[in-house]
Amino acid sequence: MAKNLKCLPLCSMGFLVLLVGGLGWLGVGGNISVASTIGAARRSLIEKSESANSSTLTRSEQTPVMGAVGDPEKVVSEVHMAINASTTRRNLAFLSCGTGNPIDDCWRCDPTKARKRLADCGIGFGRNAIGGRDGRYYIVTDPSDDDPVNPRPGTLRHAVIQDEPLWIVFKRDMVIVLKEELIMNSFKTIDGRGVNVHIANGACLTLQFVNNIIIHGLHIHDCKPTGNAMVRSSPSHYGWRTLADGDGVSIFASSHIWVDHCSLSNCADGLVDAIMGSTAITISNNFFTHHNEVMLLGHSDSYDRDKAMQVTIAFNHFGEGLIQRMPRCRHGYFHVVNNDYTHWEMYAIGGSADPTINSQGNRYLAPVNPYAKEVTKRVDTNQNVWKGWNWRSEGDLLLNGAFFTPSGAGASASYSRASSLGAKSSSMVASITSGAGVLSCRRGAQC
C-alpha cells in the first residue's frame, strides 16, 4: 500500500455536492469510477497506544485506554451539563415531527436533512463520540474484502483504516463478507442510511485502542471467529491478529463509542461486547434478536480497570430468540433506560464484581416459563455478597410476572455515576423503540 494517499477523483463533482447536502441525495448523479473522496492523509487527532502500533496486534491487558476519562465523576458532570444545554443543541422546536425518542427527533426533524447532523444527536455516556464529523465523506462502492493487508480503495476496510476522520457511506445495497476482523481507526462514522448494508457470514467489527467511533444503520449478523492472520490497522501498519471470538461489535480498550440503529443477530460470541477498560459508550436504538449471550460489559471479575466503565443502554428492542446477557455487567456503572424487553429465556440483566446498575423506565415482559420470570441474575455470587451491590429499578413496567430484585443501600453518589439522561415514562417505550434497528431509509426519501 502506498504510504501517501492522493485525492481520488469523482467522475461527477455534482454527485458530491448533492451527497454532502443531505440523506435523500445519496446515489444521485453521474457514474462513479472510484469510491474514495479522501484527500491527502493528515494525522489523526490522537495517537494509538504503543501496543496497537507494534508489529503484533495482540490483545494486551496492560495498555491503557487512549482518550478515556478515568474519573467517573467528571464524566457524569459533563453528561449532566450536556443534558441541561440540550434544548439549544437539539433545536427541539422541531419535535412536532417526532416520536419522543430524543436521538431520532434531533436529526430526523432537522429541516436541513444534513447527514452529519447525526453526530450532534448522541445521548448518554457516549454522547461525545463525534465519529468522522469533521472529516470528508468516503463512498464505499466495492463490497469485497479479498486482501486484509492491502485493501482496495473503495472497500469498507480501506475506509476505516485511514488516519484522517472520515464519514463513510455506501453507494448501493451490499453484503460485505469480511475475511478478517475489520480493525477500525479513530474518528470514523460508518453510516448505512439510504441503503441496505449487511456485514455478515464472516468476521465483523473490532474497535481496539481507538476513540470517537459512530456505527449507524448496519445489519450485523452471523459473525464468525477469524484470526491467526495479518490484518492492516492503518495505512502505515499491519500486524498479526490472534483468534477473534466472533463478536458483532467488539469494543476493546476504547472510548467515546456510539452504536445506534443497527440490527444484530446470531453471532458466534456476543452481539456487542465492551471490555478492557472501555468507557464512554452508548448503545441505542438497536434491534437484537436470535442470540444467546447478547452483551458483555466488563472483561473479568479480577480486571479492576473496568471500574471506570460507564455505558448507556437506551431505546433498544431486545426481541425474539434471545436468552441472556442484556447486558451482563462487571464493575463499572450502567444506565439501562427506556428499552423494550419482549424476550428472554434465562434472564435479562446480570452481573458480577459489584457493578452499579440503574434500570429506569424499561418495559420487561417475562417469558411463559415460570422459572424465568426474574429480570436480574447475580452470576456465581452468594447473596451475602451481592446484597450490597447497587442495583435498582425505577419506573420500570414489569409484565407477565416479571420481577426485578434490587439490592444495595441506594447511595445517591453511586447512582449518579450510572445516570446519563432523563428517563421517560415506561408507557412511552413502545413509541420510543418503534424504530429500533436499521431504519427504512431509501434514496430520495426522508428517514
Side-chain angles (χ1 to χ4, degrees):
M1 176 176 291
K3 291 184 178 179
N4 297 318
L5 295 174
K6 295 181 179 179
C7 185
L8 301 176
L10 285 171
C11 291
S12 170
M13 291 305 294
F15 176 86
L16 178 59
V17 172
L18 291 174
L19 171 64
V20 174
L23 287 173
W25 301 110
L26 182 59
V28 180
N31 294 328
I32 298 177
S33 59
V34 184
S36 176
T37 62
I38 302 175
R42 57 189 172 93
R43 290 185 179 273
S44 177
L45 299 181
I46 64 165
E47 293 183 356
K48 288 184 177 181
S49 68
E50 292 179 1
S51 175
N53 283 321
S54 66
S55 60
T56 302
L57 293 176
T58 58
R59 294 164 173 80
S60 167
E61 296 190 7
Q62 303 303 319
T63 308
V65 183
M66 303 305 292
V69 178
D71 180 9
E73 295 285 4
K74 183 176 181 181
V75 175
V76 169
S77 176
E78 291 175 350
V79 167
H80 289 176
M81 287 175 63
I83 292 171
N84 292 336
S86 63
T87 301
T88 301
R89 175 173 173 252
R90 297 176 185 280
N91 200 5
L92 293 181
F94 295 98
L95 276 180
S96 58
C97 75
T99 64
N101 182 312
I103 297 172
D104 291 356
D105 293 343
C106 172
W107 65 268
R108 296 178 80 177
C109 301
D110 176 21
T112 70
K113 308 304 178 196
R115 270 191 179 272
K116 291 185 180 180
R117 171 67 171 167
L118 176 68
D120 297 323
C121 296
I123 54 93
F125 291 124
R127 62 169 295 278
N128 287 325
I130 63 171
R133 183 193 66 188
D134 299 334
R136 301 169 182 262
Y137 286 92
Y138 186 117
I139 308 167
V140 174
T141 61
D142 184 349
S144 70
D145 189 48
D146 299 328
D147 189 346
V149 175
N150 296 297
R152 285 199 295 266
T155 61
L156 179 59
R157 188 177 300 277
H158 184 266
V160 301
I161 65 171
Q162 302 305 319
D163 288 328
E164 64 175 312
L166 291 174
W167 196 281
I168 301 162
V169 296
F170 300 84
K171 184 183 178 183
R172 62 179 182 273
D173 296 352
M174 57 183 68
V175 177
I176 300 174
V177 181
L178 295 168
K179 191 172 183 179
E180 299 293 341
E181 293 172 278
L182 192 73
I183 309 295
M184 295 188 64
N185 211 334
S186 294
F187 291 96
K188 300 293 181 292
T189 297
I190 303 179
D191 180 0
R193 289 174 294 175
V195 289
N196 191 14
V197 178
H198 290 251
I199 297 177
N201 304 311
C204 287
L205 280 63
T206 295
L207 286 55
Q208 178 171 298
F209 304 114
V210 295
N211 64 38
N212 284 283
I213 301 291
I214 299 173
I215 300 169
H216 183 99
L218 301 179
H219 298 270
I220 302 172
H221 58 93
D222 297 287
C223 301
K224 304 180 184 307
T226 57
N228 291 330
M230 292 289 185
V231 182
R232 185 169 292 278
S233 60
S234 75
S236 60
H237 178 262
Y238 65 89
W240 183 258
R241 294 294 298 177
T242 55
L243 190 65
D245 294 331
D247 295 328
V249 180
S250 175
I251 306 169
F252 183 105
S254 297
S255 64
H256 305 297
I257 309 298
W258 182 20
V259 181
D260 186 55
H261 272 299
C262 293
S263 296
L264 302 103
S265 64
N266 196 36
C267 293
D269 194 40
L271 295 182
V272 180
D273 283 4
I275 62 172
M276 305 303 294
S278 297
T279 192
I281 298 167
T282 293
I283 300 166
S284 59
N285 290 314
N286 300 293
F287 187 29
F288 299 98
T289 59
H290 301 289
H291 194 78
N292 179 6
E293 297 176 336
V294 178
M295 194 183 308
L296 174 66
L297 305 176
H299 176 61
S300 68
D301 287 3
S302 61
Y303 193 74
D304 290 344
R305 193 171 292 169
D306 282 332
K307 289 182 178 179
M309 180 179 286
Q310 290 172 300
V311 181
T312 300
I313 300 165
F315 319 144
N316 302 286
H317 183 184
F318 294 92
E320 184 179 7
L322 300 182
I323 296 176
Q324 60 180 319
R325 295 190 177 185
M326 300 170 239
R328 189 254 200 255
C329 309
R330 291 185 173 105
H331 305 292
Y333 304 93
F334 306 94
H335 195 191
V336 183
V337 54
N338 290 141
N339 300 281
D340 197 8
Y341 290 85
T342 57
H343 296 78
W344 72 79
E345 291 187 23
M346 292 178 61
Y347 66 90
I349 298 174
S352 59
D354 192 16
T356 296
I357 297 176
N358 187 11
S359 172
Q360 294 185 305
N362 300 285
R363 182 166 67 173
Y364 295 108
L365 176 65
V368 174
N369 182 355
Y371 302 104
K373 300 292 187 182
E374 185 174 2
V375 172
T376 50
K377 178 180 177 61
R378 278 74 172 179
V379 181
D380 297 328
T381 309
N382 292 327
Q383 183 174 357
N384 62 350
V385 175
W386 64 251
K387 68 181 181 181
W389 299 353
N390 287 318
W391 292 24
R392 76 174 177 187
S393 170
E394 186 175 78
D396 291 325
L397 182 61
L398 299 162
L399 303 173
N400 197 33
F403 65 97
F404 185 110
T405 303
S407 59
S412 59
S414 179
Y415 285 121
S416 176
R417 297 187 187 103
S419 299
S420 58
L421 69 150
K424 297 181 180 294
S425 169
S426 58
S427 64
M428 297 181 64
V429 164
S431 173
I432 291 170
T433 64
S434 62
V438 175
L439 293 165
S440 298
C441 305
R442 307 305 293 173
R443 293 185 182 94
Q446 180 180 349
C447 273

